[in-house]
């Protein structure tokens, strides 16, 4: 590593001739040649794309959720750090959305479309050297997360959804919450009693919140927390917002309306690491809904990442109106380039299966769609609501950005946070 510049002296520069010894290697020359002229110029030529036709009516009501976060650092040492987080849920009607120009939407049309159609939530978490009187940073973040999920501006609905998922309230089982590590003694707790919001650890009698079940405390130190805490909170809250819409219709037994709704989440249908405790209840709910004959239409769209990069490689050779369902082996070998790890991709973390879709010559997307119980090599029939989703997909494409969907684009406009806001 080179020496860095200081207040008086410049940084150390790299050697202009240092690469000459490297390129004498035959292996290096072979890799450089492959980099400049790859042998396989058409990686998508052998993908088994399957043509589809639109046979169903588009879904009428669309709910889209998105979120953003912005870390803020003080200018002077010792540096203090906060992270601002915002999430938004947007409701759109297909009839009204059909009147918006997909190429150049008029600002007044968008204003009218978004009037009284959005719910949003915002909070801030202290990451470093920002204290709450009487609390360590560790306990302050735990309490802030608990109170933020109970946001009064949303009538505490996301927190009710957390209880609905954690206690599987669509059933009559009245079970405990999932097991979790106590934030005080780190012993495994058997879970909070049914419908509890606050409880005690059976090992140390410490006060625990239902939000502790998700495991935010496992990523924190006593006096600081990484930025990943903010990212995890944003993803959890997005998930709770989208399922708040589903829960509303389910509890009201408005199944006919629920069948006409499309729920869109920005990003894959994934909860990683210890935050994946909600994945099993979510899968159980979709499986239960499927058995009850209630088709729930939900997908997550990926905008970046290795799956999007891979689609860029293979989409050019794909026919219009076609899809490709990658198998577990294909994901491991061709996308992740990793060996078989003994368990299928996404077994512990995903509640949706990947599908690549090309709607026309210019638009192709990576979606995650639930199957109910986990299926590592799903068929198209296993994806819940796929026919209605394909019919609706073509009506919500936006030409403003590559692979953009208008509901997600509008939700992002509400949820996004710039580094330097233009107004207080």
């Amino acid at each position: 590593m080179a020496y860095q510049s200081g207040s008086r002296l410049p940084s150390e520069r790299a050697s202009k001739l240092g690469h000459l010894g490297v390129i004498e290697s035959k292996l290096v020359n072979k890799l450089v040649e492959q980099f400049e002229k790859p042998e396989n110029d058409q990686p998508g030529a052998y993908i088994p794309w399957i043509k589809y036709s639109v046979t169903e009516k588009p879904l009428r009501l669309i709910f889209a959720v998105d979120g953003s976060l912005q870390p803020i650092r003080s200018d002077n040492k010792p540096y203090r750090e906060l992270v601002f987080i915002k999430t938004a849920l947007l409701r759109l009607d297909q009839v009204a959305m059909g009147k918006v120009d997909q190429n150049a939407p008029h600002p007044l049309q968008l204003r009218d479309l978004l009037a009284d159609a959005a719910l949003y939530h915002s909070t801030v978490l202290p990451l470093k050297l920002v204290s709450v009187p009487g609390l360590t940073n560790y306990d302050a973040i735990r309490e802030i997360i608990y109170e933020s999920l109970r946001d009064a501006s949303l009538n505490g609905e996301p927190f009710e959804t957390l209880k609905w998922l954690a206690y599987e309230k669509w059933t009559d089982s009245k079970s405990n919450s999932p097991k979790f590590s106590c934030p005080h003694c780190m012993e495994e707790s058997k879970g909070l009693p049914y419908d509890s919001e606050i409880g005690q650890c059976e090992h140390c009698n410490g006060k625990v919140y239902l939000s502790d079940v998700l495991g935010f405390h496992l990523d924190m130190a006593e006096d600081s927390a990484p930025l990943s805490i903010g990212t995890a909170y944003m993803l959890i809250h997005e998930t709770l917002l989208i399922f708040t819409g589903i829960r509303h219709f389910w509890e009201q037994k408005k199944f006919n309306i629920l069948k006409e709704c499309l729920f869109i989440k920005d990003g894959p249908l994934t909860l990683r690491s210890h935050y994946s405790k909600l994945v099993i209840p979510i899968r159980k709910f979709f499986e239960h809904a499927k058995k009850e004959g209630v088709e729930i239409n939900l997908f997550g769209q990926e905008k970046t990442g290795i799956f999007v990069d891979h689609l860029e490689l293979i989409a050019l050779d794909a026919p219009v109106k076609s899809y490709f369902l990658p198998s577990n082996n294909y994901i491991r070998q061709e996308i992740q380039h990793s060996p078989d790890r003994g368990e299928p991709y996404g077994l512990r973390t995903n509640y949706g299966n990947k599908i690549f879709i090309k709607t026309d010559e210019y638009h192709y997307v990576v979606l995650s769609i639930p199957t109910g119980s986990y299926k590592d090599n799903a068929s198209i029939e296993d994806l819940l609501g796929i026919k209605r989703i394909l019919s609706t997909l073509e009506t919500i494409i936006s030409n403003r950005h590559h692979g953009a969907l208008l509901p997600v684009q509008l939700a992002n406009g509400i949820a996004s946070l710039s580094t330097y806001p233009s107004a207080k």
Side-chain angles (χ1 to χ4, degrees):
M1 293 295 292
Y3 288 103
Q4 301 301 304
S5 60
S7 59
R8 297 184 302 107
L9 300 175
S11 61
E12 182 182 17
R13 296 182 179 274
S15 170
K16 295 289 186 180
L17 302 178
H19 64 282
L20 293 180
V22 177
I23 62 174
E24 292 178 357
S25 166
K26 292 182 179 180
L27 175 61
V28 170
N29 276 284
K30 186 175 181 180
L31 292 174
V32 170
E33 182 182 351
Q34 177 65 15
F35 173 79
E36 294 176 345
K37 188 178 180 181
E39 296 177 1
N40 185 7
D41 289 327
Q42 294 182 316
Y46 307 103
I47 301 299
W49 291 92
I50 299 175
K51 295 276 288 182
Y52 70 86
S53 57
V54 174
T55 59
E56 303 282 342
K57 290 194 308 180
L59 293 158
R60 185 170 61 86
L61 290 173
I62 298 176
F63 295 83
V65 67
D66 199 357
S68 65
L69 77 162
Q70 192 61 248
I72 303 296
R73 189 183 191 190
S74 63
D75 296 329
N76 303 316
K77 293 182 179 179
Y79 296 117
R80 301 178 303 280
E81 294 181 9
L82 296 170
V83 58
F84 288 83
I85 305 162
K86 189 176 181 183
T87 58
L89 176 67
L90 182 67
R91 184 197 72 245
L92 296 171
D93 189 289
Q94 274 280 35
V95 176
M97 200 162 54
K99 300 176 182 178
V100 178
D101 189 331
Q102 291 180 323
N103 297 309
H106 195 282
L108 294 181
Q109 282 184 308
L110 294 180
R111 181 201 64 185
D112 295 338
L113 185 66
L114 297 178
D116 301 322
L119 298 172
Y120 65 87
H121 161 79
S122 56
T123 192
V124 59
L125 298 177
L127 299 184
K128 187 177 181 182
L129 296 181
V130 179
S131 61
V132 175
L135 293 174
T136 63
N137 196 77
Y138 180 86
D139 288 328
I141 291 179
R142 288 178 53 234
E143 189 168 321
I144 290 170
I145 288 174
Y146 173 72
E147 294 296 339
S148 296
L149 290 175
R150 294 163 54 87
D151 186 355
S153 66
L154 298 177
N155 297 318
E157 290 298 323
F159 191 78
E160 290 300 317
T161 301
L162 174 60
K163 293 169 65 177
W164 189 70
L165 291 172
Y167 298 116
E168 301 180 17
K169 287 192 172 184
W170 58 89
T171 69
D172 298 324
S173 63
K174 298 191 182 299
S175 58
N176 285 2
S177 73
K179 296 178 181 180
F180 65 101
S181 296
C182 171
H184 305 287
C185 65
M186 292 301 167
E187 293 289 336
E188 185 177 70
S189 169
K190 63 182 180 182
L192 294 178
Y194 178 77
D195 210 29
S196 298
E197 299 179 4
I198 299 176
Q200 286 185 319
C201 171
E202 63 266 30
H203 303 288
C204 66
N205 294 323
K207 182 180 180 180
V208 293
Y209 303 110
L210 179 60
S211 51
D212 289 328
V213 172
L214 300 172
F216 290 98
H217 57 280
L218 297 176
D219 288 337
M220 293 189 285
E222 192 70 18
D223 57 351
S224 64
L227 181 59
S228 61
I229 286 288
T231 304
Y233 178 87
M234 181 187 71
L235 295 176
I236 289 289
H237 204 274
E238 286 178 354
T239 302
L240 295 179
L241 273 182
I242 205 72
F243 276 93
T244 294
I246 295 173
R247 177 179 65 85
H248 169 77
F249 293 115
W250 186 273
E251 290 186 334
Q252 298 293 323
K253 299 188 183 303
K254 296 180 179 179
F255 301 128
N256 289 334
I257 299 178
L258 184 56
K259 292 177 182 178
E260 291 298 319
C261 294
L262 174 60
F263 299 90
I264 305 175
K265 180 184 176 297
D266 178 41
L269 301 184
T270 299
L271 292 171
R272 300 190 182 282
S273 186
H274 39 267
Y275 303 106
S276 64
K277 291 185 181 71
L278 292 181
V279 168
I280 298 301
I282 288 173
R283 286 183 191 155
K284 287 181 178 179
F285 168 69
F286 280 114
E287 189 66 25
H288 175 75
K290 184 166 63 173
K291 291 177 180 178
E292 293 292 319
V294 181
E295 194 166 75
I296 298 174
N297 310 290
L298 165 71
F299 70 74
Q301 185 199 9
E302 298 188 40
K303 298 176 183 174
T304 59
I306 58 174
F307 286 90
V308 175
D309 294 340
H310 188 76
L311 180 57
E312 292 281 352
L313 291 175
I314 66 175
L316 294 178
D317 301 306
V320 170
K321 289 186 184 300
S322 64
Y323 67 85
F324 167 52
L325 271 169
S327 65
N328 172 65
N329 288 338
Y330 185 92
I331 291 173
R332 291 292 195 205
Q333 296 173 12
E334 303 297 332
I335 300 178
Q336 292 186 325
H337 302 289
S338 64
D340 187 359
R341 295 176 180 173
E343 66 177 34
Y345 168 77
L347 176 64
R348 302 176 187 272
T349 59
N350 293 0
Y351 57 96
N353 282 47
K354 311 287 185 184
I355 181 172
F356 299 142
I357 301 174
K358 183 173 182 179
T359 57
D360 57 42
E361 290 293 348
Y362 306 103
H363 295 95
Y364 38 88
V365 292
V366 181
L367 304 185
S368 299
I369 302 178
T371 59
S373 298
Y374 179 81
K375 291 181 171 60
D376 56 346
N377 294 308
S379 65
I380 193 67
E381 291 79 13
D382 293 322
L383 305 186
L384 302 182
I386 183 62
K387 292 182 179 179
R388 301 293 299 275
I389 288 174
L390 290 175
S391 299
T392 309
L393 194 61
E394 299 187 5
T395 67
I396 59 176
I397 288 173
S398 169
N399 293 319
R400 192 169 182 180
H401 306 288
H402 178 66
L405 301 179
L406 184 58
V408 178
Q409 178 185 316
L410 294 176
N412 180 261
I414 298 171
S416 60
L417 290 167
S418 63
T419 306
Y420 299 100
S422 59
K424 184 176 180 181

